[in-house]
Amino acid sequence: MLLNELTSLAATPLNQFFEGSNQVFWICSADLKQMFYMSSAYHSIWCRENLNLDKCLQDFVNSIYNEDKTRIMSAFGELFTSGEIDEEYRIVLPDSSLKWIRTHVFPVIDTVDETEYIAGIAEEITEYKQMQVQLNQSEEIFRQFANHAEVVFWVCKPDVSKFHYISPGYEKIWGRSCESLFTDPQSFLDLVHPDDLERLREAAFGENSCSMDEEYRIVKPDGNLRWMRDITFPIYDEKGNIYRMAGISCDVTVRKQAEIESIRALQRERELSEAKSNLISIISHQIRTPLTAIQSSCDILEHYLDRLTEEKKRSHFQKIGTAIEQVTDIVQDVLMLSELNANALSLNKSRVEIIELCSDAIANVSDNHRIEFVSSVKNQHILVDRKLVRYIIINLLENALKYSDVSQKVKFNLDIKSDYLSFYIEDKGIGISSKNIEKIFDSFYRGGNVGNIQGTGLGLSIVKQCVELHQGKILVSSALDQGTIFTVIIPQYN
């Protein structure tokens, strides 16, 4: 285009397009000393009013922000070598505020006299740059969050055949590299707990995979078990079709453990409540029985004392004494359990002659003629709480006698080594089922095969806690209808 034809441009539709555009069109000399054409958008974008054409070029150069000026002027200097300029830079407005400009510049050679010119198009991109800054900031915030949060973010195909993005949290939580998931998209299933695998597979690859909310367990490469929660969302294309799936995976182990513990606590509370109700019923029944015997004997003695022989009188007094002992034993168990549960029962060790202690315990057990006592030691002293060990022996012997036939013997074997005392009590009675053994030391618990045999379900619980106060342990071995062996081991320290 000849420069002398520029004056005729105003009458053409092209000029109307230039003047109506929000972009700046301009032509200047190759040495940047003379401006030949500048569209009116320059005045609105550069916020200049009534600026004549002669001053536009200098104003254009001076308005470039100092930090960008060297780069832009260098680009103009190399224009006829590079062939074009496509740059973004800032300009300073009269009020000192900044705007972002993008300019596309190219060399022009007059076809008549081969004079070189420079033509350019410039547009304001301030809003775009601000959005870009905000987007970069958002991306950085998300990147920081994704890199450090205890969660995993991912984007994949709806059929999980390819991952487009997986956050670094995968490596931290799952203990495997992100690259392993890009290589084999379904390799995450390798860590899923076998009991949860089929359920998760159906959820992750089923019809509702893009709206999944599942909790499951994984076993990490180091053997650590973790609970995970996965939530997925569909991503739609412009036609409304699902073409990707986004998801969040969170480690919810702490919450699940708390839930499990809460359920267990509620279950224990429920069992305890039921046990306490049963205890009240059992104790009421067990106390009522001896009280009835006491009442009966007292009534007979009151009304028929002068008619009874001395032998009959002694018999009723013995019944009363036995019944009182039964009530005393029940009250003692309840009080001891209360002290143990309140951590109020202290361990008072003293040097005790073990054979004398065992003999005393046997003497205080009814039907003790059925007990076969065998000891590998004689007249040896041990360091224990006499009261608690006596209770342990008496309770285990009474149980062995109570739950076995009157014709059967009960074995009581004692042994002492250099650093521990041990004894076992064996019967050939009704035995304990395998499902009941794990609960046999729970307070108020009684086996399902005890029938009408009286008991509160407190004795073994107290025995176990008495043993543990000595830092010892109690073992049980049993089979239904074959008998039971309780073994007690109590350490001895100098």
Side-chain angles (χ1 to χ4, degrees):
M1 179 177 64
L2 299 177
L3 287 180
N4 56 14
E5 295 177 344
L6 284 175
T7 56
S8 63
L9 182 64
T12 66
L14 182 60
N15 182 64
Q16 295 177 12
F17 169 75
F18 285 164
E19 295 301 318
S21 173
N22 58 3
Q23 294 178 319
V24 179
F25 298 89
W26 51 272
I27 299 177
C28 71
S29 61
D31 57 6
L32 299 177
K33 291 183 178 180
Q34 185 177 0
M35 181 67 71
F36 299 110
Y37 176 79
M38 179 76 77
S39 66
S40 59
Y42 177 79
H43 301 285
S44 60
I45 295 177
W46 264 254
C47 297
R48 303 297 200 271
E49 295 182 2
N50 302 319
L51 190 66
N52 61 48
L53 196 61
D54 294 335
K55 294 183 178 180
C56 279
L57 186 56
Q58 188 60 40
D59 181 72
F60 169 76
V61 174
N62 292 340
S63 67
I64 300 175
Y65 188 55
N66 284 336
E67 292 183 7
D68 301 332
K69 184 172 292 187
T70 300
R71 172 171 55 85
I72 298 302
M73 299 311 295
S74 295
F76 272 100
E78 298 173 359
L79 174 60
F80 285 89
T81 302
S82 63
E84 67 173 342
I85 298 173
D86 190 356
E87 291 284 351
E88 295 177 357
Y89 59 93
R90 290 160 289 182
I91 62 171
V92 182
L93 303 182
D95 63 1
S96 299
S97 61
L98 300 179
K99 282 187 178 180
W100 274 95
I101 303 295
R102 181 181 181 183
T103 188
H104 188 197
V105 182
F106 45 89
V108 177
I109 300 177
D110 194 308
T111 57
V112 176
D113 57 10
E114 297 188 353
T115 304
E116 295 179 338
Y117 303 97
I118 297 176
I121 302 173
E123 61 179 330
E124 182 186 353
I125 58 170
T126 304
E127 185 175 346
Y128 162 76
K129 294 296 287 188
Q130 290 173 343
M131 292 175 59
Q132 191 177 53
V133 170
Q134 292 174 356
L135 179 61
N136 290 339
Q137 290 175 343
S138 298
E139 289 179 348
E140 180 60 26
I141 291 172
F142 174 78
R143 188 178 300 107
Q144 292 176 0
F145 178 70
N147 289 349
H148 298 91
E150 294 289 335
V151 293
V152 182
F153 299 94
W154 77 85
V155 178
C156 66
K157 287 188 174 182
D159 60 359
V160 200
S161 61
K162 180 181 180 180
F163 274 88
H164 301 286
Y165 172 77
I166 182 79
S167 69
Y170 180 77
E171 297 186 353
K172 182 176 182 181
I173 296 177
W174 288 68
R176 301 183 74 173
S177 68
C178 295
E179 186 60 35
S180 66
L181 209 54
F182 287 122
T183 303
D184 182 0
Q186 297 183 17
S187 62
F188 68 94
L189 292 172
D190 297 342
L191 301 187
V192 177
H193 193 283
D195 293 344
D196 301 336
L197 181 58
E198 191 58 35
R199 172 173 57 84
L200 182 64
R201 191 189 297 275
E202 291 179 2
F205 301 101
E207 294 181 0
N208 299 316
S209 61
C210 291
S211 57
M212 179 180 71
D213 188 348
E214 288 288 333
E215 293 183 352
Y216 58 94
R217 292 161 293 178
I218 62 170
V219 182
K220 297 177 64 174
D222 60 3
N224 191 14
L225 182 70
R226 308 299 295 178
W227 273 95
M228 305 301 299
R229 181 186 181 188
D230 283 8
I231 304 175
T232 59
F233 312 91
I235 300 177
Y236 299 92
D237 61 18
E238 63 277 4
K239 296 181 180 179
N241 299 318
I242 298 175
Y243 79 109
R244 286 181 180 175
M245 177 172 66
I248 302 173
S249 184
C250 309
D251 187 332
V252 294
T253 304
V254 174
R255 175 175 65 77
K256 291 296 292 187
Q257 289 175 340
E259 288 178 359
I260 293 171
E261 186 56 36
S262 178
I263 292 172
R264 288 175 179 171
L266 288 172
Q267 181 65 24
R268 286 195 298 267
E269 185 67 24
R270 189 180 298 111
E271 291 175 353
L272 182 60
S273 178
E274 292 174 356
K276 287 181 178 178
S277 297
N278 293 336
L279 174 66
I280 294 173
S281 176
I282 292 169
I283 290 178
S284 298
H285 174 74
Q286 293 207 355
I287 289 180
R288 188 183 299 115
T289 301
L291 287 179
T292 300
I294 293 172
Q295 183 65 53
S296 175
S297 292
C298 285
D299 288 344
I300 293 173
L301 290 171
E302 180 180 0
H303 295 97
Y304 306 103
L305 183 63
D306 56 343
R307 302 180 192 178
L308 297 175
T309 64
E310 291 299 319
E311 183 178 353
K312 288 288 186 180
K313 291 177 184 178
R314 283 195 299 272
S315 175
H316 283 293
F317 283 123
Q318 287 176 353
K319 289 180 180 178
I320 292 172
T322 301
I324 291 173
E325 287 180 359
Q326 290 176 352
V327 173
T328 301
D329 290 341
I330 293 172
V331 172
Q332 179 185 357
D333 282 353
V334 173
L335 290 176
M336 183 173 286
L337 180 65
S338 177
E339 290 181 12
L340 286 167
N341 289 339
N343 295 320
L345 188 63
S346 58
L347 187 66
N348 298 310
K349 286 186 176 182
S350 62
R351 294 189 66 78
V352 177
E353 206 286 298
I354 184 60
I355 299 299
E356 184 275 328
L357 173 58
C358 291
S359 299
D360 175 52
I362 293 171
N364 281 274
V365 174
S366 59
D367 210 11
N368 54 23
H369 64 278
R370 293 168 51 201
I371 299 173
E372 293 182 350
F373 178 54
V374 178
S375 173
S376 63
V377 297
K378 294 181 179 180
N379 302 323
Q380 187 163 338
H381 287 78
I382 59 171
L383 192 62
V384 293
D385 185 312
R386 179 186 178 89
K387 174 185 173 182
L388 298 187
V389 172
R390 183 175 181 272
Y391 181 90
I392 293 170
I393 296 172
I394 290 175
N395 184 276
L396 293 177
L397 287 174
E398 286 184 338
N399 281 349
L401 294 166
K402 182 165 56 174
Y403 295 113
S404 59
D405 189 86
V406 293
S407 63
Q408 296 289 338
K409 293 291 185 179
V410 170
K411 293 182 180 180
F412 177 14
N413 280 44
L414 172 70
D415 188 23
I416 297 180
K417 301 299 182 182
S418 60
D419 55 353
Y420 68 89
L421 154 73
S422 70
F423 62 85
Y424 72 83
I425 294 173
E426 179 182 4
D427 67 67
K428 299 296 182 182
I430 63 175
I432 307 168
S433 68
S434 57
K435 68 177 183 179
N436 289 337
I437 279 185
E438 61 183 24
K439 297 181 179 180
I440 203 67
F441 293 109
D442 293 350
S443 298
F444 314 118
Y445 184 81
R446 304 194 73 205
N449 62 333
V450 298
N452 295 323
I453 302 174
Q454 293 186 352
T456 61
L458 295 177
L460 286 177
S461 175
I462 296 173
V463 165
K464 184 173 186 292
Q465 294 184 68
C466 290
V467 172
E468 290 176 346
L469 277 174
H470 283 85
Q471 298 182 7
K473 57 184 177 180
I474 181 169
L475 309 173
V476 57
S477 173
S478 185
L480 282 176
D481 301 322
Q482 295 184 29
T484 303
I485 301 174
F486 281 95
T487 302
V488 176
I489 301 172
I490 297 176
Q492 293 290 289
Y493 304 105
N494 293 329

